[in-house]
Amino acid sequence: MSETSATVTVALNSDNQPNRSYDIAIASHSLKDLGSKLVEIGLGKKSKKALIVSNPVIYKHYGDTVQTSLSNAGFDVAHLILPAGERFKTANSLQKIYDDALEHRLERSSVIIALGGGVIGDMSGYAAATWLRGIDLVQVPTTLLAMVDSAIGGKTGINHPQGKNLIGAFYQPRLVWIDPAVLKTLPAREFRSAMAEVIKYGVIWDRELFDLLAKCDRLDQLRYISDELLQTILYRCAKAKAEVVSKDEKEGNLRAILNYGHTVGHSIESVTNYRIYNHGEAVGLGMIIAGAIAVDLGLWSAEEQAQQISLITKTRLPQTLPTDIDQDAIVESLSTDKKVEAGKVRFILPTAIGNVTLSDRVTGDLVKQNLRQLLA
């Protein structure tokens, strides 16, 4: 791995569907090169139409650079600005993408560029998956959380009022283009929240990454992370996710481990109407609860749970819940989780740092018992 650039391949070739693999390219100050890269990998051969989907803040910072790069490569480019925030990850926003796709006359060989964080990436991906039954998608993540997680692996979708990401599809991008330099404009809260996902990879898959993070004094702001460490974080997280997705693209079994901390985390987000905690903050709380449940079930030790909490503490992520939070609603919300099988919620629980298991032994009472431990 170069100190300034790296490439990770998501290997998805099969006898029935060849050439589905794609690259995750990590290189600083590379947004200006996006257009030429799309031509290099064969996009735009038949239709040079491209639609950039973004939000107001991101487009203000980076929209012109991306649009110019695509125009210089010969693409006919339009752009759509959608409101920022999880509460706008709705069918209404999706309809706006479809409307622009129709207005711009996107064809099956056209491309949608998702320029933004996880919300933009998920909605743009689902639009690409369903417009004309599937057109090319390129993910250009601009948040740390999207860079290490949501932009990779082909999970796309929108929220239902009763639960997160209940409407969606597995649809892989043709390219994930990561420019770490854009993180300089990322708000501190968004950086902190993304570190929950980084820690997740250490707990579920990569003990070496976990130990590397443990050596840091603080993980809550970009200024405490060296360029070399940031590149390592991006590379190792991308590599971990690529390995899991390559083995289990559509979450038949193994890929479910990527939802560590998300089971309760998604419920916390939903019950609080996405207004108190952002995604990473909720995942951090979910990881603490999952770790505590694993201790209760004798799956891992209190010492390992303390090590996990130590890393979460270094991120300055919240570790308490409002005293008036509806615990029963959280437990009820678990029943809509996508990992429910035969009426039972499957929890991802740690067994050692770097390893987890799926369990259906977690009762609602056990969840509430550990929720109460976090009440402020």
Side-chain angles (χ1 to χ4, degrees):
M1 180 184 68
S2 164
E3 291 185 0
T4 58
S5 64
T7 300
V8 175
T9 299
V10 181
L12 292 173
N13 285 343
S14 66
D15 292 338
N16 295 328
Q17 294 179 297
N19 302 320
R20 294 180 58 247
S21 298
Y22 60 92
D23 285 343
I24 306 160
I26 308 166
S28 289
H29 306 288
S30 61
L31 286 185
K32 65 184 185 303
D33 303 319
L34 178 62
S36 58
K37 181 64 178 180
L38 299 193
V39 172
E40 179 186 322
I41 64 174
L43 300 191
K45 283 185 176 179
K46 296 181 180 179
S47 169
K48 285 284 190 176
K49 292 178 182 280
L51 175 63
I52 301 170
V53 182
S54 191
N55 69 43
V57 174
I58 294 303
Y59 197 83
K60 178 181 178 181
H61 285 303
Y62 307 112
D64 286 346
T65 300
V66 172
Q67 186 145 348
T68 298
S69 175
L70 294 171
S71 295
N72 288 344
F75 287 89
D76 173 14
V77 190
H79 69 270
L80 170 63
I81 308 300
L82 295 174
E86 189 75 33
R87 65 184 183 275
F88 296 106
K89 191 175 167 183
T90 63
N92 184 57
S93 294
L94 181 67
Q95 183 64 47
K96 292 178 181 178
I97 302 177
Y98 292 146
D99 290 345
D100 263 48
L102 181 62
E103 181 179 350
H104 196 51
R105 296 294 188 266
L106 294 193
E107 304 168 5
R108 283 186 173 173
S109 55
S110 302
V111 59
I112 288 179
I113 312 290
L115 176 65
V119 171
I120 290 295
D122 284 4
M123 290 194 299
S124 301
Y126 189 50
T130 49
W131 184 252
L132 302 179
R133 298 188 174 90
I135 67 173
D136 287 332
L137 169 69
V138 172
Q139 293 278 5
V140 186
T142 59
T143 66
L144 180 60
L145 188 143
M147 289 178 182
V148 301
D149 194 69
S150 63
I152 303 168
K155 276 191 175 181
T156 71
I158 58 174
N159 297 334
H160 185 277
Q162 299 302 313
K164 185 168 178 176
N165 294 330
L166 293 180
I167 305 163
F170 289 96
Y171 193 72
Q172 300 295 340
R174 292 291 303 276
L175 175 72
V176 179
W177 194 254
I178 297 175
D179 183 348
V182 306
L183 295 177
K184 69 180 184 295
T185 58
L186 186 68
R189 183 185 182 191
E190 295 298 320
F191 184 86
R192 287 195 302 271
S193 67
M195 290 306 299
E197 295 280 0
V198 175
I199 294 169
K200 175 195 78 175
Y201 284 110
V203 175
I204 70 170
W205 195 259
D206 190 342
R207 176 65 191 254
E208 187 175 335
L209 174 61
F210 188 98
D211 292 340
L212 186 64
L213 297 172
K215 295 176 183 178
C216 299
D217 294 325
R218 293 181 63 171
L219 295 168
D220 59 311
Q221 295 181 41
L222 182 60
R223 63 193 178 100
Y224 297 119
I225 308 294
S226 68
D227 290 345
E228 181 181 2
L229 177 57
L230 178 61
Q231 185 76 5
T232 299
I233 287 171
L234 294 173
Y235 175 77
R236 295 192 75 93
C237 290
K239 185 172 182 290
K241 188 155 191 181
E243 289 172 351
V244 172
V245 171
S246 296
K247 294 175 186 293
D248 179 18
E249 180 183 359
K250 296 188 176 180
E251 205 167 290
N253 189 28
L254 175 65
R255 184 168 176 168
I257 71 172
L258 296 171
N259 292 303
Y260 176 59
H262 291 58
T263 306
V264 172
H266 282 169
S267 294
I268 290 171
E269 285 184 275
S270 179
V271 167
T272 57
N273 296 312
Y274 307 102
R275 293 182 182 275
I276 297 178
Y277 303 103
N278 64 23
H279 177 67
E281 291 167 347
V283 167
L285 289 163
M287 289 165 58
I288 293 172
I289 292 168
I293 290 172
V295 173
D296 290 341
L297 294 177
L299 294 175
W300 80 335
S301 67
E303 179 184 356
E304 289 167 310
Q305 169 71 341
Q307 291 176 30
Q308 173 179 247
I309 291 175
S310 175
L311 277 195
I312 293 172
T313 300
K314 290 180 181 184
T315 65
R316 289 3 185 218
L317 287 170
Q319 296 185 32
T320 59
L321 293 165
T323 54
D324 61 350
I325 196 166
D326 191 336
Q327 299 172 47
D328 291 327
I330 289 176
V331 173
E332 177 64 26
S333 177
L334 296 176
S335 66
T336 66
D337 189 273
K338 298 181 295 300
K339 296 178 293 303
V340 170
E341 282 193 357
K344 292 184 177 181
V345 180
R346 296 186 303 160
F347 269 72
I348 296 90
L349 300 177
T351 58
I353 294 171
N355 193 62
V356 290
T357 189
L358 272 69
S359 173
D360 61 6
R361 297 166 52 200
V362 181
T363 64
D365 286 342
L366 188 54
V367 172
K368 285 195 282 188
Q369 172 186 312
N370 283 286
L371 283 171
R372 286 193 290 271
Q373 299 298 316
L374 299 186
L375 296 181

